[in-house]
Amino acid sequence: MPLPNFLIVGVPKSGSSSLYYYLSQHPEIYTSPIKEPDFFAFEEGENVKFDGPGDQQYYDRNLVNNLAAYKALFDGVSNQKAIGEASIIYLYSPKAPDRIKHLIPNVKLIVILRNPIDRALSSFAHLRREGREPLADFSAALKEEENRIEAKWEHLWHYTRVGFYYTQLKRYFTTFPADQIAVYLFDEFKAQPLEITQKIFQFLNVDRNFIPDTSLKRNVSGRPKSRTLHTFLKRPNRLKATLRPLFPANLRKSLWMKMMQKNIVPGKARLPEETRKHLTELYRDEIVNLQSLIQRDLSKWLEPESFN
């Protein structure tokens, strides 16, 4: 029974869902039917319980934390060369690198990094859109972050902590050879989705000339035109369960993404200048160290700029 030979390990709100959809179109790539099983983030059989709004419903629906069930996610593999899943909590999880190394030591690891300030704001906007974030003001939510972590709210609520990429990525570079890790930037993926996806095809040793449909974007910023339709599309329900066997997986994903995209009114959250200055200083040392680790110029992340 096969196990994955690639993982997308991070980060939230940085294009991983869109990338996963693009990869799933490649005939030589198999992607898990559950995008984020989060298997390596927790001990096997661990009683995972989170207490933030909507947290437990999400984990009850998606978490796979026993090995037999995890292996079963890949039962559908036939002759695909690249086999993977995309649990974006893995970069943030202190447990994940060693657990991954123990079970699949030769795995290839893909990371997309986004300006941590913009990513934090995007996570806040996402949770507001989902009706989970009770506070309307981002700065107020930041002040509640440590209280929420102490109260066992899941990682999406860790708006600033998730952004310490150097600390998190260093664990992977310490645990795995550098040639097993591919790091990309959200801005370049957003600007050139086909080119970056084809680079990842090459990294995964599949035909890099395959052209996926990159016209659809998943989890885009904005607000729903219809809250009812948004809820229907996002949450499990009897009608979707009935229709699921009638459509191939890729067609279901495509239809779902088209409906989600058409139901979103694009919009960008705005960040007060003082909050951006505070967060820039919070992340400054991490960003400088990250530049050296991944050999990329991240100076733009340290400049005042509008949310993107």
Side-chain angles (χ1 to χ4, degrees):
M1 189 177 296
L3 281 167
N5 53 29
F6 80 87
L7 300 170
I8 301 172
V9 299
V11 295
K13 306 308 297 175
S14 299
S16 66
S17 294
S18 294
L19 175 61
Y20 199 63
Y21 172 63
Y22 305 156
L23 295 181
S24 72
Q25 297 174 47
H26 198 296
E28 294 180 286
I29 296 177
Y30 179 91
T31 53
S32 162
I34 297 177
K35 172 182 171 272
E36 299 181 55
D38 292 347
F39 174 74
F40 294 105
F42 306 100
E43 297 297 334
E44 187 170 358
E46 181 179 343
N47 181 23
V48 177
K49 188 176 186 303
F50 291 104
D51 294 324
D55 288 356
Q56 202 57 43
Q57 294 94 317
Y58 171 82
Y59 276 94
D60 287 346
R61 188 166 67 245
N62 293 285
L63 178 65
V64 176
N65 71 338
N66 75 76
L67 184 56
Y70 186 67
K71 287 181 175 180
L73 294 176
F74 308 100
D75 280 348
V77 174
S78 53
N79 59 352
Q80 292 90 345
K81 293 169 63 177
I83 304 162
E85 51 112 329
S87 296
I88 52 174
I89 191 178
Y90 289 160
L91 188 67
Y92 184 54
S93 167
K95 295 179 180 179
D98 287 339
R99 283 179 46 76
I100 294 168
K101 180 74 171 181
H102 175 72
L103 193 62
I104 42 176
N106 298 317
V107 69
K108 293 191 173 183
L109 303 161
I110 299 165
V111 187
I112 303 180
L113 299 177
R114 183 178 187 177
N115 181 322
I117 301 170
D118 295 340
R119 184 216 49 77
L121 183 57
S122 183
S123 287
F124 169 79
H126 171 83
L127 289 169
R128 285 289 295 170
R129 185 179 71 200
E130 298 304 304
R132 294 172 62 188
E133 171 58 76
L135 298 175
D137 180 70
F138 179 55
S139 298
L142 292 181
K143 292 176 182 177
E144 287 299 312
E145 181 172 336
E146 293 305 315
N147 292 332
R148 290 169 167 185
I149 292 172
E150 188 174 344
K152 293 209 68 178
W153 291 28
E154 62 118 334
H155 73 283
L156 269 183
W157 304 96
H158 304 190
Y159 295 132
T160 60
R161 281 203 192 182
V162 168
F164 289 94
Y165 304 146
Y166 169 75
T167 299
Q168 298 159 22
L169 199 52
K170 189 73 165 64
R171 292 194 289 255
Y172 280 87
F173 277 98
T174 301
T175 307
F176 294 91
D179 63 1
Q180 287 180 223
I181 304 172
V183 180
Y184 302 93
L185 302 181
F186 172 75
D187 287 345
E188 63 189 13
F189 178 61
K190 183 179 178 182
Q192 299 179 309
L194 178 59
E195 288 83 351
I196 298 303
T197 301
Q198 289 184 321
K199 284 184 179 180
I200 294 172
F201 289 160
Q202 185 172 18
F203 177 64
L204 297 178
N205 294 321
V206 298
D207 179 11
R208 72 156 292 157
N209 295 316
F210 177 79
I211 300 177
D213 176 8
T214 59
S215 64
L216 295 176
K217 309 292 187 288
R218 189 165 180 176
N219 286 339
V220 295
S221 298
R223 60 176 179 81
K225 297 175 186 175
S226 166
R227 173 64 62 182
T228 301
L229 177 59
H230 183 79
T231 301
F232 170 79
L233 292 171
K234 291 286 286 187
R235 297 180 184 174
N237 59 69
R238 189 171 298 174
L239 178 58
K240 287 199 298 185
T242 302
L243 294 174
R244 185 174 293 113
L246 304 179
F247 300 94
N250 276 349
L251 179 58
R252 290 200 309 270
K253 289 179 187 176
S254 177
L255 290 172
W256 184 89
M257 290 177 73
K258 285 177 181 176
M259 293 176 72
M260 284 291 294
Q261 195 163 297
K262 287 185 176 181
N263 191 45
I264 292 293
V265 178
K268 296 179 180 180
R270 297 296 170 187
L271 186 61
E273 183 179 348
E274 285 305 310
T275 303
R276 182 172 285 278
K277 285 181 179 178
H278 164 71
L279 292 175
T280 299
E281 290 310 308
L282 178 69
Y283 288 125
R284 183 173 296 279
D285 289 346
E286 280 275 318
I287 291 171
V288 170
N289 289 330
L290 181 63
Q291 287 186 129
S292 299
L293 181 66
I294 65 173
Q295 295 295 295
R296 298 295 300 270
D297 178 10
L298 303 175
S299 57
K300 187 179 178 184
W301 290 6
L302 295 170
E303 299 172 358
E305 60 179 8
S306 60
F307 172 71
N308 61 73

